[in-house]
Amino acid sequence: MPQAFVPSANVAQLRPSATIATAARARALKAAGRPIIDLSIGEPDFDTPDFIKAAAARAIAGGATKYTAPEGIMPLREAIAAVAGAQYRGGDAPQGLDVCVSGGSKQVLFNACFALFGPGDEVLVPTPAWTSYLDIVMLARATPVPVMGDPDDGFRVSVDALAAAATPRTKGIILNSPCNPTGTVLDADELRAILDLARAKGWWVISDEIYRRIAYERAAPGALDLVEARDNLVVVDGVAKAYAMTGWRIGWAVAPRAVAKTLADLQSQTTSNPNTPAQHAALAALTERDAAEESIAAMVRAFRARRDAALAILAEPGAPRVIAPGGAFYLYVDAGDFPADDGDTGGAFCRALLEEQDVAVVPGSAFGTPGWVRLSYAAAEHDVVTAVRRLVDTYRAATRVPA
Ligand code: PLP
């Protein structure tokens, strides 16, 4: 008798990533011949810069094809420490911290949550939040506690709201600025206030700074800019977004030495080292600074132009409300009064856009706010403008009050 598969308790609550699921549906429709404009996936449409590809090719030709230390090659870890050090009041590599390199910042987040949290622990998650935080915390058998931000203030979560959501079981908080899905950027005072609260309460802070370099009017401060917050702090970053390297799968943690050692030990028992040629590619990204800064600046300029073109359409009368983003490459749009039999206005808006307008965006339910939708403007400007025009027209048509 074949044995029926019953998922173990480890994965009983596991859901596939909603953003990846939406992108897969868009790809399937495209393959079937539909002219889908896909604004669902959070991936720069730019190719990895040539100097990074060339470094990887040189590394492969030179024999960088073997295992490395589980925590990554020393020159890359040193380069990451130097970048963190430059942030850290423009000085040396931060004292007492160490670096562990992993297969993308998603693996870093998993390893960090698995190492820091466990059964009985609660983890505060300012919401809306990137879809994977909740699932990753649950995979660690801890309990995610969404703390709702204020939609009239870019969904910022106040220190008071965080303190009110805490219990004696609160063990940590996951921060993400610039934020996916809202694009909201915390300024230094806001970030410091949350870091101070976490220190006073004895919480761990996981600060996911994967979008830190993609900021528009003002640079986005990182937690390592704030000296007093470092011994309860794990900073997560990677090359995926700022260097258009999503497929290379390199991310890292800058963490207190004992934590970094545990992350490396965990990795030594699961995936071993991150991909070796990709580590060399990331090393080039972090050390060939002139070329890197030039490519980041060009991408940020292009993202900004697309954001502004989209916001101009969303400012028209009758358009849905949108959070004005200061960073990342997402627009978070209020589905407001979009008609929905089941009350999931964001889901209904997404379905209408995909099925009737050939535009793929992600429902806000994936981020803990069902009344919203997220679109990524990491796509050609012409596609972004066409898609946002259809989104606004669809919203207007569906919410028009009969004369
Ligand atoms: N953190 C956030 C907020 C993200 O949006 C993403 C990717 O979309 C990740 C982490 C994962 O990035 P990586 O490709 O480095 O695993």
Side-chain angles (χ1 to χ4, degrees):
M1 270 266 282
Q3 196 173 332
F5 169 55
V6 179
S8 76
N10 295 331
V11 292
Q13 301 185 70
L14 186 63
R15 305 164 303 174
S17 158
T19 45
I20 290 176
T22 312
R25 167 98 180 116
R27 258 199 304 275
L29 288 175
K30 241 185 198 166
R34 289 263 301 273
I36 301 291
I37 301 178
D38 185 4
L39 301 187
S40 67
I41 195 86
E43 175 164 56
D45 57 320
F46 299 99
D47 198 6
T48 302
D50 284 342
F51 77 94
I52 297 174
K53 289 186 191 170
R58 277 197 307 276
I60 293 170
T65 57
K66 310 279 197 212
Y67 292 132
T68 72
E71 63 273 27
I73 55 173
M74 188 54 97
L76 176 57
R77 292 171 57 226
E78 284 172 351
I80 292 164
V83 170
Q87 246 186 294
Y88 184 71
R89 303 216 161 156
D92 299 328
Q95 294 296 308
L97 300 187
D98 207 343
V99 173
C100 179
V101 186
S102 299
S105 60
K106 199 180 248 185
Q107 188 186 11
V108 182
L109 287 160
F110 176 85
N111 287 353
C113 287
F114 207 72
L116 296 174
F117 310 130
D121 293 337
E122 294 177 358
V123 181
L124 303 181
V125 183
T127 299
W130 182 48
T131 185
S132 292
Y133 296 146
L134 300 191
D135 295 84
I136 289 174
V137 169
M138 288 193 289
L139 283 170
R141 308 263 196 120
T143 304
V145 178
V147 185
M148 193 55 66
D150 175 1
D152 293 326
D153 188 20
F155 275 111
R156 285 176 168 76
V157 171
S158 68
V159 164
D160 289 346
L162 292 171
T167 75
R169 289 181 299 283
T170 304
K171 189 81 182 290
I173 179 168
I174 302 180
L175 299 179
N176 178 217
S177 172
C179 174
N180 175 4
T182 58
T184 293
V185 179
L186 298 182
D187 66 29
D189 287 345
E190 292 167 327
L191 188 53
R192 188 179 287 109
I194 297 176
L195 293 169
D196 286 350
L197 175 72
R199 167 165 277 197
K201 298 276 196 183
W203 301 337
W204 283 102
V205 176
I206 296 179
S207 182
D208 178 351
E209 301 182 3
I210 190 79
Y211 295 102
R212 190 173 61 80
R213 296 304 312 276
I214 302 174
Y216 305 112
E217 283 73 20
R218 273 178 296 283
L224 284 171
D225 296 317
L226 308 169
V227 64
E228 57 278 357
R230 66 187 186 280
D231 59 5
N232 61 334
L233 173 66
V234 176
V235 172
V236 178
D237 202 346
V239 289
K241 314 286 175 171
Y243 302 92
M245 290 177 70
T246 46
W248 297 76
R249 311 307 306 133
I250 296 291
W252 55 79
V254 180
R257 206 170 294 287
V259 175
K261 163 94 173 56
T262 301
L263 300 182
D265 290 347
L266 178 56
Q267 211 155 265
S268 78
Q269 298 291 17
T270 52
T271 54
S272 294
N273 63 272
N275 177 293
T276 301
Q279 290 190 61
H280 287 270
L283 177 61
L286 293 188
T287 52
E288 296 185 30
R289 290 316 305 165
D290 289 350
E293 291 302 332
E294 204 178 295
S295 81
I296 292 173
M299 273 196 290
V300 169
R301 261 196 314 277
F303 289 144
R304 186 175 178 161
R306 298 166 191 181
R307 178 201 66 167
D308 291 346
L311 286 177
I313 301 170
L314 283 156
E316 292 174 6
R321 166 166 76 151
V322 61
I323 305 292
F329 39 62
Y330 304 104
L331 288 169
Y332 211 44
V333 175
D334 189 350
D337 299 325
F338 200 87
D341 293 342
D342 59 358
D344 179 6
T345 52
F349 197 10
C350 283
R351 276 192 301 280
L353 287 170
L354 187 59
E355 305 306 336
E356 295 156 26
Q357 301 294 328
D358 290 333
V359 171
V361 299
V362 182
S365 54
F367 310 100
T369 41
W372 293 69
V373 302
R374 186 199 78 176
L375 64 89
S376 160
Y377 51 90
E381 187 167 332
H382 174 265
D383 284 346
V384 172
V385 166
T386 306
V388 172
R389 164 65 51 216
R390 289 184 199 166
L391 177 143
V392 167
D393 290 348
T394 302
Y395 184 81
R396 272 202 200 110
T399 56
R400 185 172 297 136
V401 183

